[in-house]
Each structure stands twice: as C-alpha cells, then as structure tokens.
Amino acid sequence: MPFDEGVRAIVLRTAALLLIVAFAACHENQPAARPDTPRLVAGVTMRDVTFRSDSLKRDMPYRVILPREIPSGKRLPVVYLLHGGGADYRQWSNDSDVSRFAERGLILVMPEGGSSYYTNAADRPDDRFEDYIVHDLIADVESRFPAASERRSRAI
C-alpha cells in the first residue's frame, strides 16, 4: 500500500529533522578548537613536527621551541614538557612563558599525549604512550634537532 503524498512529506521531514538532531548531538561534546597563539620571546624559533610513532602505530605531532642562533656543532639539553588532561601539545607555548628557557639554551619539546597519562595502556594494546615518549619521540627529536643525546642532558 503506497503512501499518499502528505504522509510521505511528513516522513521525509521527520527523517531530515532526526538526522539534523543526531548530527548536532554527535558534535555537542566536542570542545571548540582553541586558537593557537604561542607566546614566544624574540630569540627563539618554534616548529611543529608530525612523525610516525612505531609504538602507537600512527602519526603524532609535537612542538619544539629552541634558540634561534645555535653555534655549529653545539648540542643542547632537552626538556620534555608534558601537557595536562584536556589539553594538547600546544598548551605550554600558548598558556605560559616557557619560551624564555629556550632563549637561555634549552630545546623545549611538547609532545601530544591525548588523555593517556603518558603510560602504556593495559586494555588498549595500540596505546603505548610510555614507549612512544621513551623510544620514538626522543629518537625523532635527536635526529632532527641539535639535541644532546646523553641521558643527563634530558629532563621531563
């Protein structure tokens, strides 16, 4: 038994309304993207890097702030700044004046940690955030930047 045109129109409008409500509900809990407004002092440079993490089996971003002028052959100590819950790898540079430490001769690295607490998850085998930090991130930083590779030259 076919629908008459009036019933068909009501069904189509109801379906469209339900789709709109469902779409809005899916995005309701998504936090609005915060603007990226790094606070940098004059003597530093900033780079955002994305690299493939073998431990996480996905691409991961991190931010680096380092002195603008580094003498040739000089290796600098590195400080890894881990963001807090609900934040991202841009938090330190956007919400503090940490760049002044790079101006004094440090490389600052701010990795993305999601909501991981930077640990290897027991129930999610692909969330190996400790391995990502200890193995993948350090190796990538030391391959791209003039970072001192001795353990005593690193801090979290």
Side-chain angles (χ1 to χ4, degrees):
M1 177 167 155
F3 287 119
D4 70 16
E5 289 305 312
V7 172
R8 179 183 213 101
I10 291 171
V11 168
L12 288 174
R13 277 184 278 186
T14 303
L17 180 61
L18 287 173
L19 283 172
I20 291 169
V21 169
F23 181 75
C26 288
H27 295 286
E28 184 176 299
N29 294 329
Q30 301 286 331
R34 292 181 52 196
D36 187 18
T37 54
R39 294 161 53 174
L40 303 175
V41 294
V44 303
T45 187
M46 182 187 84
R47 284 193 42 208
D48 286 342
V49 175
T50 300
F51 79 109
R52 181 76 178 171
S53 166
D54 291 336
S55 298
L56 296 173
K57 300 179 179 85
R58 60 184 178 258
D59 290 344
M60 294 298 291
Y62 65 91
R63 176 164 282 176
V64 175
I65 301 174
L66 64 160
R68 184 166 292 150
E69 301 292 327
I70 301 171
S72 180
K74 176 122 172 122
R75 297 284 183 188
L76 302 177
V78 182
V79 177
Y80 292 86
L81 301 170
L82 309 181
H83 65 77
D88 66 15
Y89 68 101
R90 303 175 311 168
Q91 179 187 26
W92 280 100
S93 59
N94 287 337
D95 297 340
S96 73
D97 294 320
V98 296
S99 72
R100 63 191 170 97
F101 295 105
E103 186 178 43
R104 296 178 187 167
L106 294 173
I107 296 175
L108 306 176
V109 177
M110 295 146 271
E112 179 56 53
S115 298
S116 68
Y117 297 101
Y118 304 95
T119 61
N120 291 340
D123 59 344
R124 297 176 73 184
D126 286 340
D127 281 357
R128 313 237 7 116
F129 279 86
E130 180 182 340
D131 294 345
Y132 147 69
I133 297 290
V134 173
H135 302 292
D136 306 341
L137 179 66
I138 290 173
D140 195 76
V141 167
E142 290 177 359
S143 73
R144 291 178 195 261
F145 299 99
S149 60
E150 301 84 28
R151 185 177 180 162
R152 65 190 161 121
S153 298
R154 287 186 220 115
I156 276 191

